[in-house]
Amino acid sequence: MTMSPQVPSNDGPPPVRFAFGRWTWKEVAHLLSNFPTAVVGFVYTVLMIAVGVGLAVTVVGLPLLAAGLQGSRLIGRAERKRARKLLGVRVDEPSPAALGRRDEGFFAWLWSSLMDPVAWRSALYSFVRLPWGILTFVVTLLCLVLWPALPYTSRLMANADRAMVRGLLSPSDDLERRIAELESDRGVVVDTAAADLRRIERDLHDGAQARLVALAMGLGLAKEKLTDDPEAAARMVDEAHGEVKVALQELRDLARGIHPAVLTDRGLDAALSAIASRCTVPVTVRVDLPGRPAQAIEGIAYFTVSELLQNVSKHSAATRASVDVWRTGDRLLLQVGDDGRGGASMDGGTGMAGLAERLDAVDGVFVLDSPAGGPTTVTAELPWRDRETEKGAAGGGRAA
């Protein structure tokens, strides 16, 4: 992804200049707003700890402290947002795991909230900010009068603010970052499954179900005419027979969209060859796998190639395409290319962004290379898990 030169990188904003720039004024705004936000955070933290600890001997003390710590989390979130907007600090949001455990029971929520390191670090941040907020507010006001020193002084104090935000408000370790990523990926998986379910329901309701209803009505009318008008009844039975064939084809197509039988029975090579035969351009399929991956990974690989070949048929204006599948170490790689006009993008309405989200949800990687004029090459990478290992784990679970 290409960033605009005006957007700060992870290393900080552009070098300070004597002439006041946009980033100088944003840093000044952050330093001046330090004082009111520090006062609010300090008062909240002191009252929260005093009330929670003071009432700890009663029934309501610890729950009040736990609820107060969740409020500290919200303050930390607001401070991260302010730092991102005014200082250009790029910090990930910590894991919301402690907020999501209430369904496990009151005491589980109470314990996880009291032991929440993110909340305690946010409370510490609010507690130590008051003297710093007063200092930055006063010094910045003085530098507004002594304006030649303003850009250099504001940069020095803003860098200290950046260090505090990264040190106290960023995720504490790689495990916490991983938890946050998994929370986001779980939401993508849930949304995708819900969308697929709605699609299946819509296809059943508008397609096969409607035809079967019409078929039942037609057979009912044919039954009534069987004695009075046998020829009309025969014609109606013929029409019903045609409707049955169409309904069966629609059901087969729908089943293929859920999970094709050829994929279950014969694996990726045969399944990808089948969808390649339905593409509007000639497709060369090369599959070089030592075995079959786990069913979930195999299904994602199949539907990824299927959607990419649909894009080739609809949008590429290509004369030929290729599909390559191979294994490297513990990764399954897919590459779909065509000699079309190119220009595909992640936000072009061709479903590329949805594919990237699906792969990211299972620790996959999606790379699009499609310059204007072509060719287009899409490389997808998925984690490899052996099907035998998956079956062994399932068998162990049943045995347990």
Side-chain angles (χ1 to χ4, degrees):
M1 181 175 64
T2 304
M3 293 191 302
S4 170
Q6 295 180 340
V7 178
S9 67
N10 289 333
D11 296 327
V16 68
R17 297 178 299 166
F18 179 75
F20 296 174
R22 179 170 64 94
W23 280 102
T24 296
W25 290 115
K26 292 177 75 172
E27 290 170 344
V28 168
H30 187 274
L31 296 170
L32 290 177
S33 62
N34 273 348
F35 177 62
T37 57
V39 170
V40 172
F42 181 83
V43 172
Y44 175 85
T45 302
V46 170
L47 286 176
M48 179 262 296
I49 294 178
V51 173
V53 174
L55 297 176
V57 294
T58 68
V59 175
V60 298
L62 292 180
L64 282 176
L65 181 60
L69 286 170
Q70 301 312 318
S72 293
R73 265 184 169 261
L74 298 178
I75 293 177
R77 182 186 302 172
E79 285 296 300
R80 281 188 295 273
K81 183 177 180 180
R82 186 168 71 100
R84 279 194 291 266
K85 185 174 182 179
L86 297 178
L87 298 181
V89 178
R90 299 180 182 272
V91 291
D92 296 329
E93 288 293 326
S95 167
L99 291 174
R101 295 176 183 166
R102 294 178 180 172
D103 57 345
E104 299 178 7
F106 171 76
F107 290 104
W109 168 80
L110 180 64
W111 176 256
S112 62
S113 297
L114 293 176
M115 296 294 105
D116 186 0
V118 175
W120 282 111
R121 283 191 286 110
S122 298
L124 177 61
Y125 179 88
S126 299
F127 185 78
V128 302
R129 290 284 292 177
L130 182 59
W132 176 251
I134 296 172
L135 176 65
T136 57
F137 183 80
V138 172
V139 172
T140 304
L141 285 180
L142 289 176
C143 289
L144 285 173
V145 179
L146 305 173
W147 57 267
L150 179 61
Y152 305 97
T153 306
S154 62
R155 174 57 54 84
L156 182 64
M157 294 188 294
N159 283 340
D161 265 326
R162 292 183 177 98
M164 276 190 270
V165 171
R166 292 191 181 103
L168 292 176
L169 297 183
S170 62
S172 56
D173 52 28
D174 292 338
L175 178 60
E176 191 170 289
R177 291 187 180 91
R178 181 61 180 152
I179 292 173
E181 291 176 1
L182 291 176
E183 289 281 345
S184 175
D185 292 345
R186 182 179 66 179
V188 172
V189 171
V190 171
D191 292 343
T192 301
D196 288 341
L197 181 60
R198 288 194 298 270
R199 176 184 60 81
I200 293 169
E201 291 175 344
R202 184 178 63 251
D203 290 346
L204 281 173
H205 182 271
D206 297 341
Q209 180 180 342
R211 291 191 179 277
L212 290 175
V213 170
L215 173 63
M217 294 176 63
L219 289 176
L221 293 174
K223 182 180 179 181
E224 293 177 358
K225 291 181 176 293
L226 187 60
T227 54
D228 299 336
D229 192 352
E231 294 182 358
R235 288 195 301 271
M236 297 177 71
V237 170
D238 287 338
E239 293 175 359
H241 185 252
E243 289 291 326
V244 169
K245 290 182 177 179
V246 175
L248 286 175
Q249 184 60 45
E250 289 182 350
L251 288 173
R252 290 192 192 100
D253 293 339
L254 181 60
R256 186 183 296 116
I258 298 172
H259 198 84
V262 65
L263 178 62
T264 303
D265 298 338
R266 300 174 58 190
L268 272 175
D269 196 351
L272 296 183
S273 298
I275 59 175
S277 66
R278 299 195 296 269
C279 189
T280 58
V281 301
V283 182
T284 302
V285 178
R286 291 180 290 268
V287 178
D288 182 15
L289 297 176
R292 294 184 64 176
Q295 290 184 2
I297 300 301
E298 193 175 62
I300 293 173
Y302 172 84
F303 288 112
T304 298
V305 174
S306 177
E307 186 154 349
L308 290 173
L309 288 182
Q310 288 181 26
N311 286 337
V312 171
S313 298
K314 295 178 182 177
H315 308 292
S316 69
T319 58
R320 64 180 182 275
S322 63
V323 176
D324 293 278
V325 183
W326 71 99
R327 178 183 176 182
T328 300
D330 61 348
R331 309 294 285 182
L332 173 65
L333 283 90
L334 318 169
Q335 193 168 78
V336 178
D338 66 73
D339 63 349
R341 59 192 173 200
S345 65
M346 299 295 288
D347 55 354
T350 56
M352 297 292 187
L355 285 176
E357 288 181 352
R358 288 193 182 194
L359 266 66
D360 184 64
V362 293
D363 285 341
V365 178
F366 186 88
V367 179
L368 171 65
D369 180 19
S370 182
T376 296
T377 303
V378 178
T379 303
E381 184 178 325
L382 290 164
W384 177 278
R385 293 197 300 271
D386 289 322
R387 180 164 296 221
E388 290 75 14
T389 303
E390 182 186 56
K391 289 180 179 178
R398 287 192 296 269

